[in-house]
């Protein structure tokens, strides 16, 4: 049995199954990327809820794993060379799990890098821009009289949805016929944009039929349905 006692985070979230990947997360668009990935690959894991309502992410135990205080984060008790591997940042975790499982990322070098560019496109573009739009449209920023910040992020979010729509015009998924970590990175963000943020009309989501079609297909996957609810909220 793996010994994870060297990781302070296990004092706050004890591992009942220390031989499984330990997932520290919350079912947000970033968090569910990893739970969906784990469900899709079938890798054994144990989820732990990091509750923002009690600022769990700011606790010393969580920050010992991710000093940036962001979910998700994992510990793989059986990492490279048989040693435990702590890891944060959703994009890095997706790539690591894809390599570990030998799935959901192309094996051919050129296609692999093509896939990774779309993962980084989400991490560097879609994630931050959609998040800013959410702030100015749904949260505290919605009360600002000056709507220029909201409109700026709405326009950029619309542009990014358009980039994905163009990519999907001749493809089932981001990488063609094969579902991949690029889809797992991108589509939870699309779901959140039109769902939780309620920004479908603001960005003109109806103008992007290929994204709508792919999002429907994404949400119809059994592993996605399960992953969207993990970790279970108390």
């Amino acid at each position: 049995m793996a010994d994870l006692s060297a990781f302070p985070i296990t004092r706050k979230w004890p591992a009942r199954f220390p031989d499984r990947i330990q997932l520290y997360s919350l079912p947000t668009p970033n968090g569910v990327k990893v739970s969906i990935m784990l469900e899709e690959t079938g890798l054994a894991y144990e989820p732990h809820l990091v509750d923002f309502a009690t600022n769990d992410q700011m606790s010393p135990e969580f920050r010992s794993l991710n000093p940036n205080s962001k979910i998700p984060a994992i510990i793989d008790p059986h990492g490279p060379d048989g040693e435990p591997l702590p890891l944060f940042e959703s994009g890095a975790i997706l790539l690591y799990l894809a390599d570990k499982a030998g799935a959901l990322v192309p094996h051919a070098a050129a296609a692999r890098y093509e896939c990774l560019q779309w993962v980084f496109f989400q991490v560097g573009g879609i994630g931050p821009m959609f998040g800013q739009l959410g702030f100015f449209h749904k949260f505290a920023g919605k009360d600002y009289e000056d709507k220029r910040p909201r409109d700026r992020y709405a326009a950029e979010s619309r542009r990014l949805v358009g980039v994905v729509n163009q990519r999907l015009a001749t493809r089932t998924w981001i990488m063609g016929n094969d579902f991949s970590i690029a889809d797992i990175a991108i589509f939870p963000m699309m779901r959140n944009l039109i769902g939780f943020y309620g920004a479908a009309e603001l960005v003109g989501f109806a103008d992007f039929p290929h994204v709508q079609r792919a999002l429907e297909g994404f949400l119809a996957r059994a592993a996605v349905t399960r992953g969207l609810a993990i970790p279970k909220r108390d």
Side-chain angles (χ1 to χ4, degrees):
M1 182 176 292
D3 180 7
L4 300 179
S5 61
F7 295 94
I9 196 168
T10 61
R11 295 198 288 268
K12 187 174 178 66
W13 290 277
R16 295 177 56 218
F17 305 100
D19 282 320
R20 300 180 185 179
I21 293 170
Q22 303 295 302
L23 169 64
Y24 307 92
S25 191
L26 187 71
T28 67
N30 268 320
V32 299
K33 294 182 212 172
V34 177
S35 53
I36 289 170
M37 181 67 179
L38 288 163
E39 290 292 325
E40 287 280 358
T41 59
L43 292 167
Y45 73 104
E46 179 179 357
H48 303 278
L49 181 72
V50 179
D51 192 347
F52 288 2
T54 54
N55 285 322
D56 279 350
Q57 76 278 17
M58 303 302 295
S59 66
E61 293 87 355
F62 186 80
R63 293 178 71 182
S64 71
L65 185 57
N66 184 359
N68 196 34
S69 302
K70 303 291 185 181
I71 58 97
I74 66 168
I75 300 173
D76 183 357
H78 306 292
D81 303 318
E83 296 296 322
L85 176 70
L87 203 59
F88 64 87
E89 284 296 330
S90 60
I93 297 170
L94 285 178
L95 178 57
Y96 172 71
L97 294 176
D99 286 344
K100 183 180 179 72
L104 300 180
V105 67
H107 296 293
R112 177 184 174 88
Y113 288 118
E114 184 181 357
C115 180
L116 291 181
Q117 77 180 355
W118 286 99
V119 174
F120 297 151
F121 168 79
Q122 181 278 303
V123 171
I126 286 178
M129 293 300 103
F130 285 15
Q132 292 293 335
L133 178 57
F135 174 80
F136 286 105
H137 182 60
K138 182 178 176 68
F139 298 110
K142 74 178 186 299
D143 296 324
Y144 294 178
E145 184 176 347
D146 186 350
K147 296 304 180 185
R148 286 176 295 179
R150 185 204 66 179
D151 293 347
R152 181 262 188 272
Y153 290 114
E156 180 62 5
S157 295
R158 176 180 170 84
R159 188 189 70 81
L160 293 168
V161 176
V163 171
V164 178
N165 192 70
Q166 183 178 15
R167 174 72 178 182
L168 292 168
T170 58
R171 297 170 176 85
T172 302
W173 301 109
I174 294 295
M175 289 303 295
N177 291 327
D178 295 327
F179 186 75
S180 73
I181 57 174
D183 303 294
I184 295 175
I186 289 171
F187 287 112
M189 298 288 166
M190 296 291 182
R191 171 180 178 264
N192 194 66
L193 176 71
I194 65 172
F196 184 61
Y197 287 166
E201 184 175 351
L202 186 61
V203 301
F205 197 74
D207 297 335
F208 305 108
H210 307 302
V211 174
Q212 292 180 62
R213 180 260 306 159
L215 178 59
E216 290 175 3
F218 179 78
L219 295 175
R221 296 177 71 90
V224 170
T225 299
R226 295 191 302 269
L228 286 171
I230 299 172
K232 184 178 179 181
R233 295 179 185 268
D234 293 335

